[in-house]
Amino acid sequence: MGFKNYILVCGGTGCESSRADQIYRSLIEEAKNQGVAEQVQVIKTGCFGFCEQGPIVKILPEDSFYVQVKPEDAKELISEHVVKGREVTRLLYNKEERKPYEEVEDIQFYKKQLRIVLRNCGSIDPENINEYIAADGYKALEKVLFEMTPENVIDELKVAGLRGRGGAGFPTWMKWNFTKQAEGDVKYVVCNADEGDPGAYMDRSTLEGDPHSVLEAMTICGYAIGAHQGFIYIRAEYPLAIHRLEVAMAQAREYGLLGKNILGSGFDYDIEIRLGAGAFVCGEETALLQSIEGKRGMPLPRPPFPASKGLWGKPTVINNVETWANIPVIITKGGEWFSQIGTQDSHGTKVFALTGKICNSGLVEVPMGTTLREIVYDIGGGIAKGKNFKAVQTGGPSGGVITEENLDTPIDFGGLQRIGSMMGSGGMIVMDNDDCIVDVAKFYLNFTVDESCGKCAPCRIGGKSLMNILEKITDGKGTPEDIDQIEKIALAMRKGSLCALGQTAPNPVLSSLKYFPEEYKSHIEDKSCPSGKCKKLIKYEIDTAKCIGCTACSRKCPVGAISGEVKKPHKIDQAVCIKCGVCKSTCKFSAIDIK
Amino acid sequence: MSILSLDDLRAIRNREEKELKKRDIHGRSVHVVVGMGTSGISAGAKVVLNTLADEIEAAGLDKVILTQTGSLAPVAEPVVEVFSKEAGLVVYGDVSKADAVRIVKEHLVAGKILEDKRVEVKED
Ligand SMILES: Cc1cc2nc3c(=O)[nH]c(=O)nc-3n(C[C@H](O)[C@H](O)[C@H](O)COP(=O)(O)O)c2cc1C
Ligand code: SF4
Ligand code: SF4
Ligand code: FES
């Protein structure tokens, strides 16, 4: 007989940073102490996606979903759940009694999700190749090496209609086909795991939770295009993902799934890891290839595209982590199957990192064509703290905002573009009414200005000038002409920048201007910030009618700006006040307003 | 482990798949629960649980989950509950080792409820 219980402990970066590893070790320790070591198997998996509620522990077969678990809880989980067979109610996510048929997938957060890319995340041990193999792993490689020609492989991707998940949505089969047909006997395969978008972590989670899926896919590509060497370019800030990749590669080599004469097929292929220093621009494909070559990561003009002249001048396929993770399933289940999922324009699913002012933040994977409303309200559980929805930023620093009126737009590559945003890599940041739209635009622009490699003038100078204008506006010194100026600079950047970093850097500004013109107007004409974020435009004032003179605020003010006698209304000295907001959150009588 | 051949890989998959399946609770349509409170155990619930587990495995019923719980309905122990979408909840009381074998053979495999062992539980 197998084990009585299987305990899955999340080993993603989010949960690990809240001591999931200690929970894992304590559970094993406790099982031993309580004499049930033979009855339970404790497995450390990849991210469950529900990072908001982490650390996550799931116990099977009861399918008990425990959240916010602490190492101290290990004892009770073993003594109650495993030994006595009673769920530890206080740690359950869903504390109401479950019907026997209800699975974890029935809870709101998972209901509308479809996990293809994340199929193994949270269910297998990423450091054990046998578990990947058991979950149909390396079946696609088997099929490709022994039953398919390189042309068949590319055709299957064509039927699937897979488009790149790294941002631009370029058809993967075409890229492979160009590279296959390019002249030259040495070719390369590259995995782009640079993932620099603020707030994005889907690639990291995929590598942490299912590294073999990427290795398998890259090997398949090598066979299809005639390459024998692959590289994974990953930022050094992802130590756990790097570790899991290294373990996976060593196991794959031991099993003969990487190296010479793979599975006796005669095909040789190996993969190496290259670490990046975490510059956003190094995610751009030509800059990335330069960086692998040991040069400074700066974009090059395209064409030539990597498919004809890539790494060391050789034809190269470069794909994003999520793109790779789709490929083994497409081969095993067929392109036809994949093409049925999603929309006409975009097949399959997309993983989003949902963050910001949302109840359930985390990693979500949904079929293309799901609406933003479904993601924010059904999966995300709506806006946190009962506040009102304002907008969602998709596409990171290259994307734009989506407002209430477009909440029902089906999300796919084309759909997002039509409403002035873009898919990007899948960061999704939710804003509520406390967020100032000009401030948010400034945040993204500041990011791209910082990350610009400085090679070309439109990006280097244009970005900085745009930033100056936004600062002027949030300082209350904006003029109506600034808006025209923004549009002019944006156009120049879009037309004249060498790479997409500069070309798309104005997008967050343009899109917020398009959807929230009145908010820009308040800043410029009324010198006021409606959400009370821009410090230079706001004043903290005490409402003398409400102030009872409790002195609480004056004691808390860090700069002594508040004066007044006990039991008499207090007053803020505007010349001294640094607008930290402490007094407002201290006052129990809501006597302090932002004006 | 040395370099694998295609057959080796398939052999590993076949072996490991069985293990992984045990963790896969999707599409399981029958849920069997054994009451393992202190009184249940002293009445022989442990033997019943082990018998059920062995018989379910022997019959290759991969759509069945077997779990245990503290105390169940207040009827003669050992108690075994079987939930299925078709028949809803069926409670068996005073289950012996032989009854456990019958539960698997008759109820789980053949779909016939063991009327002689069934007990009614009052909803309150
Ligand atoms: C500034 C900049 C940053 C980029 N960062 C990434 C990244 O972190 N990860 C990624 O996969 N693609 C990134 N890209 C897109 C890549 O250039 C390239 O299109 C992608 O890796 C191709 O893979 P795909 O076809 O699978 O999407 C970036 C592009 C630009 C312009
Ligand atoms: S657009 Fe910006 S990031 Fe891209 S090459 Fe020019 S300066 Fe560098
Ligand atoms: S906002 Fe800060 S600095 Fe200004 S009065 Fe209140 S506590 Fe003092
Ligand atoms: S890291 Fe544990 S759920 Fe995401």
Side-chain angles (χ1 to χ4, degrees), chain A residues 201 352-356 358 360-364 375-376 379-380 426 428 430:
Chain A
Y201 60 99
F352 292 101
L354 190 60
T355 54
I358 185 100
N360 304 331
S361 67
L363 214 55
V364 306
I375 296 180
V376 172
I379 298 173
M428 210 174 240
V430 181

Side-chain angles (χ1 to χ4, degrees), chain B residues 52-100:
Chain B
L52 285 169
D54 293 344
E55 290 293 320
I56 288 170
E57 174 133 337
L61 297 174
D62 55 9
K63 293 268 182 283
V64 176
I65 2 189
L66 173 66
T67 65
Q68 50 172 304
T69 184
S71 41
L72 284 174
V75 296
E77 289 184 288
V79 190
V80 174
E81 294 185 351
V82 181
F83 296 94
S84 62
K85 284 209 169 89
E86 301 74 38
L89 171 65
V90 176
V91 183
Y92 295 117
D94 189 20
V95 178
S96 66
K97 185 173 168 155
D99 295 331

Side-chain angles (χ1 to χ4, degrees), chain A residues 540 553 556-562 571-574 576-584 586 592:
Chain A
Y540 285 88
C553 61
K556 279 274 174 70
C557 174
V559 291
I562 306 179
K571 198 172 169 359
I572 297 176
D573 182 347
Q574 298 299 337
V576 180
C577 170
I578 56 164
K579 296 167 190 172
C580 69
V582 163
C583 53
K584 183 169 159 62
T586 305
I592 300 177

Side-chain angles (χ1 to χ4, degrees), chain A residues 357-421:
Chain A
K357 309 286 179 60
I358 185 100
C359 288
N360 304 331
S361 67
L363 214 55
V364 306
E365 180 174 356
V366 288
M368 293 278 191
T370 304
T371 66
L372 200 59
R373 188 184 300 282
E374 292 172 288
I375 296 180
V376 172
Y377 289 95
D378 297 341
I379 298 173
I383 308 302
K385 299 184 185 146
K387 297 255 166 90
N388 286 328
F389 173 87
K390 180 167 188 171
V392 172
Q393 175 90 14
T394 65
S398 311
V401 290
I402 302 175
T403 55
E404 187 88 41
E405 62 175 288
N406 285 319
L407 272 181
D408 294 307
T409 308
I411 297 179
D412 60 14
F413 286 106
L416 284 177
Q417 241 159 30
R418 276 190 293 280
I419 55 176
S421 185

Side-chain angles (χ1 to χ4, degrees), chain A residues 163-170 172 175 192-197 203 235 280-286 288 302 318-321 323-324 398 425 499-501 504:
Chain A
R163 298 174 61 175
R165 302 298 196 240
F170 193 78
T172 306
K175 213 180 243 191
N192 188 343
D194 192 56
E195 194 166 56
D197 276 17
D203 293 348
R235 48 179 54 220
F280 178 59
V281 77
C282 284
E284 194 282 333
E285 54 189 25
T286 59
L288 185 151
R302 295 179 311 174
I318 171 164
N319 279 126
N320 162 264
V321 171
T323 313
W324 290 118
S398 311
S425 57
C499 83
L501 187 147
T504 59

